[in-house]
Amino acid sequence: MAYVPGVALLAALVVGCSAGADGNANGADSKAGSPTVSPAPPGKYLTLPAPCRAVPRSTLKDLLPGAAELPGDQQDKVFRGSAAVTYDTDRKVGCSWKSDAPSATRSLSVDFERVVSYDPAVSDDDRADTVYAKKEKAAGLSSSATPGPPDEKDKKSEESEESGKAKDPADADATGSADPSPSESSGGSTDGAPGSSSSPEEALPSRILDNLGDAAFLQDLPKKADSTAQHHTVSVVFRTSNVVVTVRYAEQPALITQVPDGRELQEKAQALARKLAETLSE
């Protein structure tokens, strides 16, 4: 029998054990067919702007006529705005302003909602698009991608989103009102053709807007047929990445014989929405 020195035998055992360990490790790491799941990309926005500072003072002076003529303290109070009550300012913030002039009362509100997906397979942008599409549908407008019924994950996500914000009474103007009838929303003929009404209330109808964020629409809500108050509200809603923004602008004349200029309200609401979209993209 050949004699193997103790040192040589020990070295052989160490090499054998190392080879066996490496083989097991390599075998475990090299299993074929293991799927690699990449989580959906997060949204562009991780924070929201300070809502009461989102609208420049010069813009507020234009949107709230009469406020600039108020005494200093009252003027500052109007332009300071009132922040919406929310329980999660990382997810939803808002601010509103109101000006009472001798001829009319005008009100403005802006709301920012940052949407977060709780499904790793669904991106924040896709989830925000679903939230936006539901608002578009509630406004009575057709959508190019109407979302299907939410699954259990969507329901849980919506419940989580709702728990993070307080109910804002102003939201009823945009989503709680009944869809305007064709006679209310169409605004009649706007090209000056014979037979068209010259009433300033008859603005352009509710519609999808181009070149505003990733998707946008305008909802025009003239006064209700059974109401004597000449109240007119315009809402512009747009989505940019994972943030959905709502601008709501309204006028109520002091006299019921006066009719708000719907076209002016629409133009100014759209102009503000575009400014906000530019600010978010900076």
Side-chain angles (χ1 to χ4, degrees), residues 176-196:
S177 303
D179 292 342
S181 64
S183 60
E184 291 177 328
S185 63
S186 63
S189 175
T190 58
D191 56 4
S196 62

Side-chain angles (χ1 to χ4, degrees), residues 2 13 27 75 86 109 146 151 169-170 189 199 205 208 244:
L13 291 175
Q75 183 181 141
T86 64
S109 68
T146 303
D151 57 19
S189 175
S199 171
I208 304 298
V244 178

Side-chain angles (χ1 to χ4, degrees), residues 1-12:
M1 178 180 296
Y3 174 76
V4 180
V7 174
L9 178 60
L10 179 60

Side-chain angles (χ1 to χ4, degrees), residues 37-273:
V37 179
S38 298
K44 176 180 179 181
Y45 302 102
L46 302 178
T47 59
L48 291 171
C52 292
R53 294 199 296 268
V55 184
R57 195 181 184 99
S58 58
T59 302
L60 289 173
K61 288 182 178 180
D62 178 53
L63 295 173
L64 304 172
E69 285 72 41
L70 294 172
D73 292 344
Q74 296 181 33
Q75 183 181 141
D76 290 340
K77 182 178 180 180
V78 170
F79 291 141
R80 190 182 307 124
S82 300
V85 178
T86 64
Y87 298 113
D88 189 351
T89 55
D90 287 334
R91 296 289 303 281
K92 184 175 175 63
V93 295
C95 192
S96 59
W97 301 261
K98 184 178 180 181
S99 172
D100 294 315
S103 59
T105 295
R106 291 208 183 185
S107 58
L108 169 72
S109 68
V110 294
D111 293 288
F112 301 87
E113 181 178 359
R114 186 175 68 90
V115 181
V116 178
S117 173
Y118 293 95
D119 186 345
V122 179
S123 68
D124 292 347
D125 283 19
D126 288 342
R127 177 62 186 159
D129 189 52
T130 299
V131 172
Y132 164 84
K134 290 180 179 179
K135 293 178 180 291
E136 186 181 278
K137 184 178 180 181
L141 299 172
S142 60
S143 174
S144 58
T146 303
D151 57 19
E152 290 301 319
K153 291 181 179 179
D154 284 340
K155 290 179 181 178
K156 291 180 181 179
S157 178
E158 289 174 0
E159 291 172 358
S160 177
E161 290 171 5
E162 290 298 326
S163 66
K165 61 184 180 182
K167 294 294 183 181
D168 186 351
D171 287 345
D173 290 339
T175 59
S177 303
D179 292 342
S181 64
S183 60
E184 291 177 328
S185 63
S186 63
S189 175
T190 58
D191 56 4
S196 62
S197 172
S198 59
S199 171
E201 182 184 353
E202 296 198 4
L204 294 173
S206 301
R207 60 197 181 276
I208 304 298
L209 299 176
D210 296 326
N211 303 319
L212 176 55
D214 296 315
F217 71 87
L218 179 147
Q219 184 180 21
D220 187 86
L221 294 171
K223 73 159 190 170
K224 295 181 179 179
D226 59 349
S227 174
T228 57
Q230 300 286 357
H231 188 273
H232 196 129
T233 301
V234 171
S235 294
V236 175
V237 180
F238 70 91
R239 178 184 73 83
T240 174
S241 186
N242 62 316
V243 170
V244 178
V245 182
T246 300
V247 174
R248 194 171 298 111
Y249 189 41
E251 177 183 352
Q252 181 167 336
L255 301 176
I256 61 174
T257 56
Q258 296 176 323
V259 179
D261 188 339
R263 284 179 177 271
E264 179 195 8
L265 295 174
Q266 288 193 16
E267 291 171 359
K268 290 187 174 182
Q270 287 185 76
L272 174 57

